[in-house]
């Protein structure tokens, strides 16, 4: 009995619970959800594509937050698709570092294209809003491609042309550190460029010319301001939450949300727990997790037969150094606040799946109908919900691509 009580205590400290599941939603919520084109703007799932033995076609629910998106769970949660991310960690900015970033980005892009080729009966590359609607109508899953952190372009910004030809339709400027194109919101060294660098401003112009949506998530407030000013088309925040609910450098203030909406942009609300609620840093936990990572190697390269042991050791560390986890209630607090500030025509969902996103009660994409249930309970109508899940995003994509066509016509 004592051991059971201790277990319950650990569960409470971790913020874990069996919670709700998508099976708990009402028939009306499920109907509304299934009728919508459900897109997420930030799927970090390509990080798993090179894992030995891992397949997008298999159900990986047993892996917990090691993988949160696969075809069976997309179907269970009614996720029609979204933006699959070419993510590159910010490394050294010398020539060797820039070449490493270039190579990594191209490898990640290749892995996305290989997944699509291997599962052409279930997934299809989308280049336009019309493509997305056509692909969904055919019963397939939609794969747009985005880039998080423009570091792969630092050695040669003209590579953006190649990425565009291979499917890139959204570009995020920075990640957690400053880079050659602009300042990050979280670099401990502070601002380097006071917004965009000269190369960053040129990159913005090129993205506009090609019809690539610009993404200000992770970027500093100054970069956001300059993107809003310089871009000839609306911009987005692909996975960002509200400063008013939790004051964090990665979140955005209400005044900027209003300005984003006024320019026709969309903010897609993040489900990364540390950006939703205060999360203390426990040095002993960090040290233990770093040692675990050294022992097993990168998660994205971990063979399937090593995953159970790795997860068991990781969960033991989490139990030894518990940190309260954000919940579905915390996520909805951010989403509902942003909806009130921006209006339902300028809000979407970008939960950061497979990149640290997911909260108690919303652990993977199979639980997405719960968001629809909560939106209905909050008084939002079916058209609002269709806009939030995909309509607003497709509107921005159309406007960005129309602006590119007009610009090309004017320059010819």
């Amino acid at each position: 009995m004592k051991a059971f009580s201790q277990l319950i205590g650990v569960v409470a400290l971790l913020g874990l619970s069996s919670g709700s599941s998508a099976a708990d939603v009402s028939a009306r919520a499920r109907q509304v959800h299934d009728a919508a084109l459900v897109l997420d703007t930030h799927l970090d799932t390509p990080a798993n594509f090179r894992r030995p033995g891992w397949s997008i076609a298999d159900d990986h629910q047993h892996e917990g937050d090691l993988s949160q998106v696969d075809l069976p769970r997309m179907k269970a949660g009614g996720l029609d698709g979204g933006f699959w991310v070419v993510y590159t960690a910010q490394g050294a900015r010398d020539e060797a570092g820039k070449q490493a970033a270039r190579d990594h980005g191209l490898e990640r892009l290749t892995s996305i294209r290989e997944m699509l080729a291997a599962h052409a009966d279930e997934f299809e590359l989308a280049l336009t809003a019309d493509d997305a609607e056509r692909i969904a109508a055919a019963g397939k899953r939609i794969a747009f491609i985005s880039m998080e952190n423009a570091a792969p372009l630092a050695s040669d910004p003209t590579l953006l042309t190649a990425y565009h030809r291979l499917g890139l339709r959204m570009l995020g400027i920075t990640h957690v550190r400053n880079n050659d194109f602009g300042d990050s919101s979280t670099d401990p060294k502070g601002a380097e460029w006071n917004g965009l660098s000269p190369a960053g401003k040129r990159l913005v112009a090129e993205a506009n010319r090609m019809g690539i949506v610009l993404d200000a998530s992770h970027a500093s407030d100054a970069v956001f301001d300059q993107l809003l000013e310089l871009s000839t088309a609306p911009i987005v925040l692909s996975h960002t939450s509200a400063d008013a609910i939790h004051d964090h450098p990665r979140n955005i203030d209400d005044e900027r949300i209003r300005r984003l909406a006024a320019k026709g942009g969309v903010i897609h609300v993040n489900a990364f727990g540390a950006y939703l609620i205060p999360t203390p840093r426990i040095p002993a936990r960090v040290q233990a997790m770093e040692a675990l990572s050294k022992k097993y190697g990168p998660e994205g390269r971990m063979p399937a037969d090593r995953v159970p042991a790795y997860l068991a050791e990781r969960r033991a560390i989490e139990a030894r150094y518990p940190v309260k986890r954000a919940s579905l209630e915390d996520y909805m607090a951010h989403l509902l606040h942003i909806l009130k500030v921006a209006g339902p025509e300028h809000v979407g969902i970008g939960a950061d799946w497979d990149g640290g996103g997911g909260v108690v009660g919303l652990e993977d994409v199979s639980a997405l109908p719960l968001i629809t249930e909560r939106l209905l309970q909050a008084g939002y109508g079916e058209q609002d919900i269709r806009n939030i899940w995909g309509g607003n995003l497709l509107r921005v994509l159309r406007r960005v691509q129309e602006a590119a066509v007009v610009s090309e016509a004017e320059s010819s």
Side-chain angles (χ1 to χ4, degrees):
M1 181 63 70
K2 181 179 179 182
F4 180 76
S5 298
Q6 289 173 335
L7 176 61
I8 294 298
V10 168
V11 168
L13 283 168
L14 286 170
L16 300 172
S17 68
S18 57
S20 302
S21 71
D24 298 325
V25 304
S26 65
R28 179 171 181 246
R30 188 76 220 199
Q31 181 182 29
V32 171
H33 189 80
D34 289 344
L37 184 60
V38 177
L39 301 173
D40 186 290
T41 43
H42 201 79
L43 302 171
D44 270 312
T45 310
N48 289 320
F49 290 171
R50 297 291 198 208
R51 281 176 57 194
W54 195 96
S55 170
I56 193 73
D58 298 335
D59 188 334
H60 302 275
Q61 188 173 9
H62 62 283
E63 293 187 343
D65 62 7
L66 193 61
S67 62
Q68 299 164 302
V69 182
D70 50 45
L71 183 59
R73 286 182 287 176
M74 291 178 76
K75 291 180 176 179
L79 179 61
D80 292 300
F83 275 87
W84 302 76
V85 182
V86 175
Y87 162 70
T88 304
Q90 185 59 53
R93 288 164 57 191
D94 56 17
E95 285 308 309
K98 290 177 183 179
Q99 290 178 20
R102 176 202 62 193
D103 295 347
H104 176 85
L106 291 171
E107 180 186 12
R108 183 61 55 90
L109 175 65
T110 300
S111 74
I112 296 171
R113 296 297 302 253
E114 287 176 345
M115 184 279 285
L116 296 177
H119 302 280
D121 55 334
E122 297 282 3
F123 292 87
E124 187 173 338
L125 179 67
L127 303 177
T128 67
D130 287 349
D131 284 346
E133 293 171 346
R134 173 185 55 77
I135 293 165
K140 294 184 180 182
R141 305 290 143 171
I142 299 156
F144 285 109
I145 298 176
S146 64
M147 180 181 287
E148 181 178 34
N149 188 12
L153 308 175
S155 65
D156 181 4
T158 66
L159 279 172
L160 186 63
T161 300
Y163 274 97
H164 179 257
R165 289 175 179 170
L166 290 168
L168 188 75
R169 291 299 181 269
M170 183 182 292
L171 175 64
I173 304 299
T174 68
H175 192 238
V176 298
R177 296 289 186 269
N178 302 335
N179 64 19
D180 283 22
F181 300 106
D183 295 331
S184 168
S185 62
T186 51
D187 195 312
K189 296 179 181 177
E192 176 180 346
W193 304 103
N194 294 316
L196 292 164
S197 70
K201 293 175 182 177
R202 291 191 294 271
L203 193 66
V204 167
E206 281 298 286
N208 282 162
R209 184 182 66 80
M210 294 180 196
I212 296 173
V213 178
L214 288 160
D215 173 17
S217 284
H218 278 292
S220 69
D221 287 346
V223 167
F224 173 90
D225 294 343
Q226 291 169 22
L227 284 175
L228 210 58
E229 176 187 357
L230 294 173
S231 179
T232 58
I235 69 170
V236 302
L237 292 157
S238 69
H239 57 307
T240 294
S241 298
D243 255 341
I245 304 299
H246 175 42
D247 189 4
H248 191 286
R250 259 289 276 122
N251 294 339
I252 191 168
D253 59 88
D254 288 358
E255 187 270 336
R256 285 186 169 86
I257 293 173
R258 293 188 187 98
R259 286 169 46 208
L260 175 73
K263 288 285 189 85
V266 179
I267 172 172
H268 300 83
V269 183
N270 199 349
F272 191 98
Y275 304 150
L276 302 178
I277 62 172
T279 304
R281 185 180 187 275
I282 302 174
R285 177 184 169 118
V286 173
Q287 185 176 6
M289 288 295 190
E290 289 176 348
L292 183 67
S293 180
K294 289 180 181 178
K295 178 178 178 181
Y296 284 91
E299 290 182 354
R301 300 286 185 177
M302 194 177 299
D305 60 358
R306 301 202 75 194
V307 168
Y310 168 77
L311 289 176
E313 291 191 39
R314 194 181 74 174
R315 287 164 183 156
I317 294 170
E318 291 168 346
R320 193 180 315 132
Y321 308 107
V323 174
K324 182 182 177 182
R325 289 184 60 201
S327 69
L328 176 58
E329 300 299 327
D330 298 314
Y331 180 74
M332 291 307 301
H334 282 260
L335 177 56
L336 293 175
H337 174 81
I338 290 170
L339 279 164
K340 289 179 181 177
V341 174
E345 300 83 9
H346 300 284
V347 180
I349 307 296
D352 210 353
W353 297 117
D354 290 325
V359 296
V360 176
L362 191 72
E363 281 86 1
D364 61 36
V365 296
S366 68
L368 291 179
L370 291 168
I371 297 176
T372 297
E373 181 81 87
R374 297 301 183 90
L375 291 171
L376 287 169
Q377 291 172 358
Y380 289 95
E382 293 185 25
Q383 186 58 54
D384 291 334
I385 291 170
R386 285 195 291 270
N387 288 341
I388 293 163
W389 274 121
N392 295 332
L393 172 63
L394 296 188
R395 183 192 70 243
V396 167
L397 182 58
R398 283 191 170 100
R399 288 189 60 184
V400 169
Q401 294 183 337
E402 287 166 0
V405 171
V406 169
S407 175
E408 185 176 2
E410 290 176 347
S411 63
S412 60

